[in-house]
Amino acid sequence: MALSLLSYHISDLCLGKPPLRCLSASSSSVSDAIAALKSSEDTFLSVWNCNHDDDDITECECLGKISMADVICHLSNDHDPTLSSLNAPVSVLLPKTRSLVLHVQPTCSLVEAIDLIIQGAQNLIVPIQTKPFAKKKQQNDNVSVTTTTHSNGQRFCWITQDDIIQFLLGTIGAFSPLPAMSIFDLGIINSTHAILAVDYNSSASAVISSISRALSDQTSVAVIDEEGDDSLIGEISPMTLTCCDETAAAAVATLSAGELMAYIDGANPPESLVQIVRNRLENKGLMGLLSLFDSVSPLSPSSGYSSEEESPGRMSRSMSSSARMARKSEAIVCNPKSSLMAVMIQAIAHRVNYAWVIEKDGCFVGMVTFVDILKVFRNFF
């Protein structure tokens, strides 16, 4: 019975969770955030209002989370970013909605956590119940902008929508016959978020706001063929952008939506597109972006680069297997008759919080999100 799950607390989902790597909102810059993201295996970092260099015991609060997708949107919004864009405080990367990240106590029930997610929270910050850690001085200045231990010795982890969905999958038998029902019969197709879509031939820079919105909603931007039958061609996923480096801002500023899909797809962008980006930056006089583009991985018109060399657009760090799976721009799709359980497994396997819904003939129907799915499970408690 699903009622047996009422005894679970959010702390039960925290077992084995690593402590959050944190950036200080008062002392970190966009440049610090870029360095921290490149040196971390995590695609998201938390930003806090406490200064981790202080020895006081003031209460720390998480203000939000950031990723390389936030950096790319920030640099793309700045028409031609200069050094001042990189030196801006890290707070400029945070979404305006503070409720996306919420603090909860370890005793928060699973049902309460689901309610918070349904109400709009993305990450629930939970104190790690362990012995206090003495704060150690970082040895490497390149990563000293982040810490896992706060000034009072407390450590935190966070619980995501993905964590709760995986937990429910582990107890899926308690919800029979729900798992076998189709998403159409459950009425959860496109029931929560508005569909964000862009034409294949439109300018990528024109959809920066949509990318930011998709990042905030933990969804994606559909790329469709407006000149044809409005079929789904692919997507521009914030999760794919989190695997890029800051030079992807140059691609957003110069390429079409279709070209951007190809640029961020796979391990490295095609050399031909890299050269196109550079040429268009020069033609548009975007010297700030051109300098950024060349500073990360220079490409002269005559030299090119080999497949073994680091190319612009991709992280130099060693990514985890789950992050590599999120690199593809091919849309994650299901059909209206897909079962709820099948959609859950498919989304988790691709490390996304949604699935696009299309008919067998390719006709675009809508989207199903984890929030839609959690609403269905919530009715069983």
Side-chain angles (χ1 to χ4, degrees), residues 211-251:
I211 295 173
S212 297
R213 172 69 182 277
L215 185 60
S216 178
D217 291 343
Q218 292 191 313
T219 57
S220 186
V221 180
V223 178
I224 61 176
D225 180 15
E226 291 184 351
E227 297 180 356
D229 55 0
D230 283 346
S231 59
L232 181 67
I233 299 175
E235 67 176 353
I236 300 174
S237 169
M239 282 306 297
T240 306
L241 288 173
T242 62
C243 300
C244 298
D245 64 27
E246 65 272 29
T247 62

Side-chain angles (χ1 to χ4, degrees), residues 179-200:
M181 295 179 66
S182 74
I183 56 175
F184 176 81
D185 291 337
L186 291 170
I188 59 174
I189 300 174
N190 197 27
S191 63
T192 300
H193 298 293
I195 297 297
L196 301 171
V198 60
D199 180 58
Y200 181 87

Side-chain angles (χ1 to χ4, degrees), residues 19-131:
L20 290 177
R21 297 213 61 87
C22 311
L23 283 167
S24 170
S26 62
S27 59
S28 299
S29 66
V30 172
S31 181
D32 292 328
I34 293 173
L37 286 164
K38 286 184 173 181
S39 64
S40 173
E41 284 294 314
D42 300 321
T43 52
F44 288 89
L45 295 176
S46 56
V47 179
W48 295 70
N49 70 346
C50 49
N51 191 333
H52 302 123
D53 292 329
D54 294 339
D55 293 324
D56 57 43
I57 56 174
T58 55
E59 194 71 22
C60 292
E61 180 187 10
C62 182
L63 303 179
K65 61 177 183 177
I66 61 168
S67 68
M68 193 59 75
D70 294 294
V71 173
I72 293 167
C73 288
H74 167 66
L75 296 178
S76 300
N77 271 321
D78 192 340
H79 178 65
D80 192 21
T82 61
L83 188 60
S84 61
S85 302
L86 297 174
N87 290 335
V90 70
S91 57
V92 302
L93 303 178
L94 292 172
K96 295 180 180 180
T97 306
R98 287 281 298 275
S99 60
L100 295 180
V101 173
L102 295 178
H103 283 259
V104 298
Q105 292 301 316
T107 53
C108 173
S109 71
L110 175 63
V111 174
E112 290 172 332
I114 292 176
D115 286 340
L116 291 173
I117 295 294
I118 291 174
Q119 293 165 16
Q122 291 184 2
N123 297 68
L124 303 178
I125 309 296
V126 187
I128 294 179
Q129 296 179 306
T130 184
K131 294 180 179 179

Side-chain angles (χ1 to χ4, degrees), residues 197-362:
V198 60
D199 180 58
Y200 181 87
N201 295 309
S202 65
S203 169
S205 60
V207 296
I208 296 174
S209 59
S210 294
I211 295 173
S212 297
R213 172 69 182 277
L215 185 60
S216 178
D217 291 343
Q218 292 191 313
T219 57
S220 186
V221 180
V223 178
I224 61 176
D225 180 15
E226 291 184 351
E227 297 180 356
D229 55 0
D230 283 346
S231 59
L232 181 67
I233 299 175
E235 67 176 353
I236 300 174
S237 169
M239 282 306 297
T240 306
L241 288 173
T242 62
C243 300
C244 298
D245 64 27
E246 65 272 29
T247 62
V252 173
T254 56
L255 299 178
S256 68
E259 289 171 331
L260 180 62
M261 279 201 309
Y263 186 93
I264 64 178
D265 191 39
N268 290 308
E271 183 177 347
S272 58
L273 279 179
V274 172
Q275 191 61 59
I276 288 173
V277 170
R278 196 178 196 285
N279 292 340
R280 290 179 182 176
L281 290 173
E282 292 177 339
N283 294 337
K284 292 184 177 183
L286 300 177
M287 294 300 105
L289 272 177
L290 180 59
S291 177
L292 175 68
F293 194 67
D294 285 346
S295 66
V296 175
S297 185
L299 174 64
S300 65
S302 60
S303 64
Y305 57 87
S306 70
S307 59
E308 295 179 352
E309 294 173 338
E310 180 189 348
S311 62
R314 283 293 165 198
M315 286 287 203
S316 59
R317 63 184 179 180
S318 174
M319 298 295 293
S320 64
S321 59
S322 60
R324 285 194 294 270
M325 291 176 67
R327 286 182 171 182
K328 289 292 184 182
S329 296
E330 182 179 353
I332 309 304
V333 300
C334 62
N335 66 71
K337 296 302 181 181
S338 296
S339 69
L340 178 66
M341 185 174 179
V343 174
M344 292 169 66
I345 293 174
Q346 184 181 23
I348 287 176
H350 290 88
R351 307 299 293 176
V352 294
N353 293 49
Y354 61 88
W356 298 106
V357 185
I358 61 172
E359 295 286 4
K360 291 183 178 180
D361 60 0

Side-chain angles (χ1 to χ4, degrees), residues 113-150:
I114 292 176
D115 286 340
L116 291 173
I117 295 294
I118 291 174
Q119 293 165 16
Q122 291 184 2
N123 297 68
L124 303 178
I125 309 296
V126 187
I128 294 179
Q129 296 179 306
T130 184
K131 294 180 179 179
F133 285 81
K135 191 175 75 169
K136 296 182 180 181
K137 194 70 175 179
Q138 296 281 357
Q139 299 296 319
N140 188 340
D141 291 337
N142 291 330
V143 296
S144 62
V145 292
T146 63
T147 181
T148 59
T149 307
H150 294 266

